[in-house]
Amino acid sequence: MKNRIYTIAACAIALLAASCSKLDNYEDPKETLKGSVIDAGTGKTVQTEQGSGTRIKLLEISWSDNPTPFYIASMQDGTYNYTKLFKGTNKISAEGPFVPLVQTDNTGATVVDKSQTVEINGTKTVDFQVEPFLRIEWVGEPTVNSDGTITASYKITRGTNDPNFQQNVTDLRLFVNSNKYVGNNNFDDRYSTQVNFNGSEANATLNQTVTITTKGGPLPKTRQYFIRVGARIDYGLKYYNYSDVKTVTVP
Amino acid sequence: MKKTIYTALCFLICWTTACKKLDVPPINIIQDKDVLSNAGGVQAYMARLYAQLPIEDFRYSPERGLNFFWIISPFPAVTGEALSRDQRGAMQENVNESPWADCYRLVRDVDYFLENIDQYSSDFSEAQVNGWKGEARFIRAATYFALVKRYGGVPLVDKVLQYPSNDLEGLNMARASEEASYDFIAADLDYAYQNMSETNQAGRANKYAAAGFKSRVMLFAGSIAKYNNITLIDGGARICGIPSSKAVTYFKAACDAAKLLDGKYSLYKKTWAAGDKEAQYQNFVNLFFDASSPENIFVKQYHYPESVHGYDAYNVPRQLMGANGYSAEVNPTLDYVELLDGLPKNSDGTLKTTTAGKYDLYTNTMDLFANAEPRLRATVVLPGDQLKGQSIEIRRGIYTGSSAGGITPLLPAGSTANYPTADIVQSSNANQTPYKLPDGTTMNPAGLSGIFTGDGTCAISGFSIRKWLVPDKPTSEVLENRSDQTWIEMRYAEVLLNYAEAAWELNSLGQNGTYLSDAMTAINQIRERAGATSLTGAGDLLSVDAIRKERRKELGFENKIWWDMRRWRTADKEQNATLYRVLMPFYAANDKKYFFDARTDERNVRYTFDVRWYYEQIPNGEIQKSQKLVQNPGY
C-alpha cells in the first residue's frame, strides 16, 4: 500500500516537473533606441519635463500601415533612452515644446514631415533637430540675497521665425525644488514665483534680461536648491519651454 | 378487429397532434411586437432610454462617473466653486469610468427604435409615431452631445450596426470632424423640435426641451470655434477643433433656438416680490422643489425607494449630519461667494474684512452679509444663517488676544502659512472642550458645523452648500440613498444665459443687430429674480466676463460650470497652481464680537488644469478595438 502511494507521488512529481517546460519562448524585446531632441539653432538639447513634456512617437510600420502609436517619454534634459524594443521598422517623430515635426494643412494633407523611418535592430541613436517655441537662457549666476531669497536673471527669445508658432507667452515660472527634478511637474509651490501675462504683455520682455526672485520669504538654510525658469506660449497643448537646471546653495 | 382499429385510431390521433409547428418565437421573451405595437410598450422603451441618458446629475462625480450612488468627490469641488475634503486638486474625468461605451449602447437602442417603429405605425396615429421618433432623436442628440463635449469629433452611427457581418470594414468607423458631429446633433434636435408635441409627461422631453438643448449645444460649438487652439486632423477631418469662420453660424443658431422658448417658459417667481429680500430668497429656494415650476424645461425625477440618490446625506452642514456620518462634502469657496452682489468689497474686488489694517468686527456673523443679494443665501449656507430651524454655526476658533486698538490680521496678506497657535483656541474635531470666556460663560472654540482643524467633515471653506438641499427633510431621513428630489437638467434661466452669451459673442464678432441690448435684457431678467441690481448700460457689458459671471452665479453647483470653463478655454488659466480662497470667522473673546479672515485654502490644495483635458482621453480599450479610432492629442 505504502509503496503504491510512493509510486503515485513520484509520478505526480515527475509530471509536475515535466509541465514546467517553458513554451513561451519568444525572445524578449531588447533593442535600444536613444537620442536627443536638439535645438537646431544652438545645438543644445531642448529642455523639458518628464511626463507631460517631450515624448518620442513610434509607429511600427513593419506590419501595419495604421499602427497604434507607442510613446517614449523623454528625460527632462531632452534626451531619451529605451532599451526594451522589439526589432522592426519604425517611423519616429517627437512631440513637445517645439515646432511640430509633422504638420498637416486643413484638409489633412501632410505639409511637413520630418519624422525618420528607422530599422530598429541593436542600439540605434536617433536625434531630432527642432525649433523650440522659446529659448530660455540664464544671464549670469543666480545669487542668494541677504533676506534669504534667490534672485536670478534670464532672457527669453523666440526659437522660431515661423509666425504660426509665435503666439503670446501666457505665463512664466521660476520653479524651485529641493532635488534636481524640477519643472511644472515637480516644484515647491511655497517658493516658486509665477507670472501671468494678459494678451501680448509678455512680448515686451522678450529678448530682454529679466530678473526674478523666489517668493514666500527666506528659503530654509544650509541646503541646495535646484531652480529653473519655464515659460509657455498659447499654442496647442501649451508645453513649457525651460532653461537648464541651476543649483544654488543657500549657506 | 375492433381493437386493432381503435389502436390504429389512437395512434393516428397522436400523430395529428405532432403536427404542431415547433419553430415558434420563444414565448418567455418579450418580442418587438409586444413592445412597439402599443403605447404602454413604447413608454416602457422610452423609460429605459431616459434612465440611461448621460447627464451629470445627483448621481455623477468625475471620479466615479455617471449613475453612481457614492458622491464624495463632488463635481463643484473640481471647478473651484467649492472645496471638498475628498477632492485634492483639478482632474479630468476618470477615464476608467468613461461613458463612451454606454453612450454607443444607448445610441444603438435609439437607432433600433427608429428603424422598427414604422412597422407598427398602423397601430398609432401619424402624429404619435412622429412624436416618438422626434423624442428618440432628442435622446440620441443628448447622447452624442455627451460624447462630443468630452472628446471632440466622434464616430457618427445613425443605424443599427449588424454584427457579425460580412461588412467588417463598415463597422470600423473613423471619427467624424467636430464640426460634423455638432451638425449631426443639431439636425437631430431640429427634427425633434419639428415633430414632437408641445407637452409631454414629466421627465420626458417636449419640443421646447429640444430647442433648449439646441441653444446649449450650438453655444458649445460656437465657443469651440472661437476659443479653441488645439487641432487634430485625421483622414481629412478636423476631429479636434472647428474653423473659426463657423463661430457666427453656431452662435446665431444658439440665439435662434433660445428664442423658440420665448413665452413658453418663464423664470420661477411664484413667491417673488419686488423689493422683498426675504420673499426673493424663499422664491429662489423653492424654485428647485416646485414640480409645477414654469422654469423647468427638462428634469430627471427620482422617487424613494426605487430610484434614489444621497445628495442631502453628503452635503448637509455638519450639525445636521445623518446617521451615515456624511456631511459637508460641498463647501463653496470665497471665490464663488465674492461673485455675488451686495458684499463689502476692497478696491481689487475681494471681500473687505479689514479697515486700515484692523479687522472689521461684527456682533453676528450674518451682519457681514446683511446687504447680499438674496440668491447668495439661497445658494450657500452662510455662517449663522438658518437651516431646518437651526442657526448654522460656523466658527474657526476663538481669538483670545488683546484687542486694544483693534485686531491686526493673524497672517500677512497672501500668506499660505498655518495660523499662529498663540492667542487662538481651536478644535480638532466635533468633541470640543468649551473655552471659558472672560465674562465667565463658556463657548466651544469651533462652531457646531466646524471649522475643525483635524476633521474634514465640516465647512472647510467657512461656507456650506444650500442649493438642492431639501429644507424640511428630517435628520432621520438624511441618509444615503434616501433622497429623491428632482434634478433639473435644464431650466429657463440657462436658456436666457445661453441667449445672452451667444448674442454678446455675435456682437463682438461684428454682427449688426440688437444683440447687445437683447443680451442685457436677458441678464437683467435673471438679476431681477435673483434680487441683484440690474445692469444699466452697455458699459456693464464691455467684456464677456459680465455674462460668464452671471452664469457662474446662477448655475453654480448645477454641474454645468466645468463644461463652461472647458468651452471658454479658460480652465488652464484659472487653474494654474491655483489656491482657492476661504473665509474663516473668529470670535474675539475680549470684544465679544466676530471678525473674518479671508485666506487661501488651509490645506494648500493647488489646482492645475492640464491643457490636454480640453479633449479627454478616449479609453485605450476602445482605441484598440478599432483600426480607425484616433486618440486625442497628448495621451
Side-chain angles (χ1 to χ4, degrees), chain B residues 10-32:
Chain B
C10 278
F11 184 73
L12 285 173
I13 285 169
C14 289
W15 195 278
T16 59
T17 61
C19 279
K20 199 161 176 191
K21 221 167 137 188
L22 284 173
D23 185 16
V24 291
I27 51 170
N28 58 343
I29 292 175
I30 297 170
Q31 309 290 314
D32 278 0

Side-chain angles (χ1 to χ4, degrees), chain A residues 66 105 107 171 173 189 238, chain B residues 233 236 572 576 606 627 635:
Chain A
N66 190 16
D105 65 9
T107 63
D171 54 334
R173 306 260 194 95
D189 52 41
K238 293 182 73 174
Chain B
I233 293 172
D572 70 294
N576 189 4
R606 285 181 187 263
Q627 305 267 293
Y635 296 107

Side-chain angles (χ1 to χ4, degrees), chain A residues 90-110:
Chain A
N90 282 265
K91 207 173 157 197
I92 308 178
S93 63
E95 296 174 351
F98 42 82
V99 175
L101 296 177
V102 180
Q103 293 170 32
T104 51
D105 65 9
N106 288 338
T107 63
T110 306

Side-chain angles (χ1 to χ4, degrees), chain B residues 52 57 136 156 200 231 243 340 442 466 476 482 522 524 534 540:
Chain B
Q52 294 172 353
D57 61 357
L156 298 173
N200 205 342
T231 301
L340 288 105
T442 58
R466 173 75 196 254
S476 61
R482 191 70 170 79
N524 276 342
S534 294
D540 289 333

Side-chain angles (χ1 to χ4, degrees), chain A residues 46-60:
Chain A
V46 177
Q47 298 284 323
T48 183
E49 68 193 75
Q50 277 161 312
S52 41
T54 302
R55 60 180 185 172
I56 309 299
K57 179 180 181 182
L58 278 75
L59 294 169
E60 193 180 343

